[in-house]
Amino acid sequence: MTDQPTLRDGDLVLRPWTLDDSDATRALHDREIAHWFDFPAVAPSAQEHRAWIEDTRTEWSARTKVTFLVQWRGEPAGTVDVRVQDPGVGVLSWAVYAPYRGRGLAWRAVRLLVEWAFDALGLERVEAHVNPDNRPSVRTALRAGLRREGRLRGNASLGGVRQDTLVLGRRRDDAHPDTREGFTAMLDSTLPTKRAIAQGVLRAGSAGASQVLLCELVYKREWDLPGGVVDPHESPAACVVREVREELDLVVTAGPLLAVNWLPALHGWGDATVFVFDLGTVDARLIERAHLQQREIRGVHWTGPDDWAGRVAPYNERLLRALESRRGDGATIYLEDGTPVT
Ligand SMILES: CC(C)(COP(=O)(O)OP(=O)(O)OC[C@H]1O[C@@H](n2cnc3c(N)ncnc32)[C@H](O)[C@@H]1OP(=O)(O)O)[C@@H](O)C(=O)NCCC(=O)NCCS
């Protein structure tokens, strides 16, 4: 049976716990630690703490969990551990005692542990489950090279209250967090993703009395411009062309951008940015050739300003009227909730 090793990174040392550490470290437990670990008391009793240290040795022997004391400049400063959950997957946990916080010890210790665990334990992946309100811990995980992967809703409880959990993870074959690729991927995992929608204005008729094509949809009452939600890695212009092909079986070209309309969150949907493209003017009989996608489109209609009130959503009526009044001036209109912002 091999002994648990000691890991070093400059003035930071990760070493096995011993019973001699018990008294000094028990006194260092504080409310912050008790709060986030949902411990019943701020500090464990001497007996509980010694039993916990004994457990770290048994767990090392079984390789079910490996716990290191974080030592900084010779002083016990915290603890980090990795619990081997499924074969190849480790779940991380950490704490730094109050006098030693804010010096970068947590993320350095976690990173040292992770790289050792990939190498010595043969783990393929490590992950951490962090309360989204525990900002220092979320930052610790990210700085240690874990990427934000998702949010589990209400899967944990803290002080008797249901809580969400952020899952952050790092795979052994991820680009190292010190490389540009690894750092970008980490940061990218934390940035907001915004919903984009692409729609098009297809007209028929003469310049003076042109009509706009609207779709009557299966899943909502209001008529809407053809188009849809932009797929990941798809451009808005490519999206509107694809959507018109899928919905109407018509081939169009995305012309100039007529409007960008930001829609606030509504009826349980998140906010979205709508890109409205000019699809040109066609012969009205073109729609006779359209094959409507039955599960989405009930019908298509050439419409003018008199048809919109009550038929399209209020924000779309505002958009259509703004497009009508600015027709021909060549500029892209920026709107919020259908109202032009100047
Ligand atoms: C989480 C904890 C280990 C951080 O320890 P630490 O040694 O202070 O952390 P570091 O100095 O390595 O800093 C890590 C990151 O957290 C940030 N951070 C630290 N304290 C912070 C605070 N109070 N508020 C916001 N961010 C904070 C740091 O700025 C750093 O991020 P940055 O590099 O992007 O600026 C420590 O606060 C702790 O022990 N908390 C209680 C136990 C706990 O929550 N464990 C985790 C359960 S999942």
Side-chain angles (χ1 to χ4, degrees):
M1 181 66 57
T2 51
D3 288 339
Q4 185 177 341
T6 292
L7 318 177
R8 293 170 201 282
D9 169 25
D11 56 10
L12 183 75
V13 172
L14 303 188
R15 66 159 172 82
W17 279 83
T18 71
L19 287 174
D20 292 343
D21 299 312
S22 181
D23 290 343
T25 53
R26 194 171 76 84
L28 287 166
H29 284 77
D30 70 340
R31 285 184 186 286
E32 187 84 1
I33 293 176
H35 172 68
W36 291 116
F37 286 101
D38 214 7
F39 291 153
V42 169
S45 70
Q47 197 187 4
E48 285 166 340
H49 197 41
R50 292 173 73 82
W52 178 83
I53 294 173
E54 297 274 21
D55 284 347
T56 67
R57 293 156 173 261
T58 321
E59 289 157 351
W60 163 257
S61 303
R63 300 294 192 280
T64 49
K65 183 174 171 185
V66 187
T67 307
F68 288 96
L69 179 130
V70 178
Q71 188 175 294
W72 184 64
R73 299 188 177 169
E75 299 295 326
T79 184
V80 288
D81 62 76
V82 56
R83 181 165 47 81
V84 180
Q85 186 181 258
D86 302 317
V89 178
V91 180
L92 303 164
S93 180
W94 51 77
V96 164
Y97 301 128
Y100 304 97
R101 289 185 194 142
R103 301 169 199 267
L105 294 184
W107 72 263
R108 283 174 61 202
V110 173
R111 197 186 274 200
L112 193 56
L113 170 67
V114 167
E115 286 175 7
W116 172 80
F118 283 150
D119 194 37
L121 299 180
L123 297 185
E124 306 278 349
R125 167 188 167 80
V126 290
E127 61 189 44
H129 303 170
V130 182
N131 187 298
D133 295 331
N134 188 349
R135 205 175 140 65
S137 272
V138 175
R139 298 291 320 158
T140 295
L142 293 167
R143 288 289 310 255
L146 279 69
R147 300 179 191 175
R148 189 186 150 138
E149 295 178 333
R151 185 173 182 128
L152 307 177
R153 293 178 310 119
N155 80 317
S157 112
L158 190 62
V161 180
R162 279 281 114 211
Q163 304 276 323
D164 293 356
T165 298
L166 289 186
V167 179
L168 301 106
R170 181 170 158 193
R171 287 176 51 135
R172 181 158 64 179
D173 54 6
D174 281 346
H176 191 275
D178 282 343
T179 62
R180 189 183 178 89
E181 188 191 346
F183 179 76
T184 303
M186 179 279 288
L187 203 56
D188 192 61
S189 75
T190 68
L191 298 178
T193 51
K194 207 76 165 163
R195 186 168 310 154
I197 297 172
Q199 294 185 316
V201 176
L202 188 64
R203 293 180 182 276
S206 62
S210 87
Q211 294 201 298
V212 174
L213 188 77
L214 291 181
C215 299
E216 193 182 336
L217 300 152
V218 168
Y219 54 86
K220 66 177 181 183
R221 197 178 54 81
E222 296 96 349
W223 296 3
D224 208 345
L225 291 165
V229 176
V230 181
D231 281 341
H233 309 295
E234 182 183 48
S235 78
C239 169
V240 74
V241 172
R242 173 183 58 74
E243 285 282 346
V244 171
R245 193 181 62 240
E246 290 174 1
E247 290 175 342
L248 310 176
D249 198 22
L250 293 179
V251 176
V252 292
T253 307
L257 183 65
L258 299 174
V260 174
N261 184 18
W262 175 76
L263 298 178
L266 183 71
H267 301 324
W269 301 101
D271 68 329
T273 306
V274 188
F275 296 82
V276 184
F277 291 91
D278 188 348
L279 302 183
T281 302
V282 295
D283 186 320
R285 287 169 299 182
L286 180 80
I287 60 170
E288 290 163 17
R289 295 215 307 269
H291 292 109
L292 308 187
Q293 191 180 50
Q294 300 295 332
R295 64 187 157 83
E296 270 192 58
I297 314 286
R298 183 168 290 135
V300 285
H301 309 273
W302 291 114
T303 67
D306 294 343
D307 303 313
W308 297 335
R311 278 229 176 84
V312 300
Y315 62 85
N316 263 341
E317 187 181 346
R318 292 192 288 276
L319 166 82
L320 288 167
R321 295 198 191 286
L323 288 174
E324 215 53 26
S325 68
R326 298 273 295 271
R327 225 181 134 200
D329 76 2
T332 303
I333 316 174
Y334 172 71
L335 309 97
E336 293 185 358
D337 204 14
T339 302
V341 176
T342 47

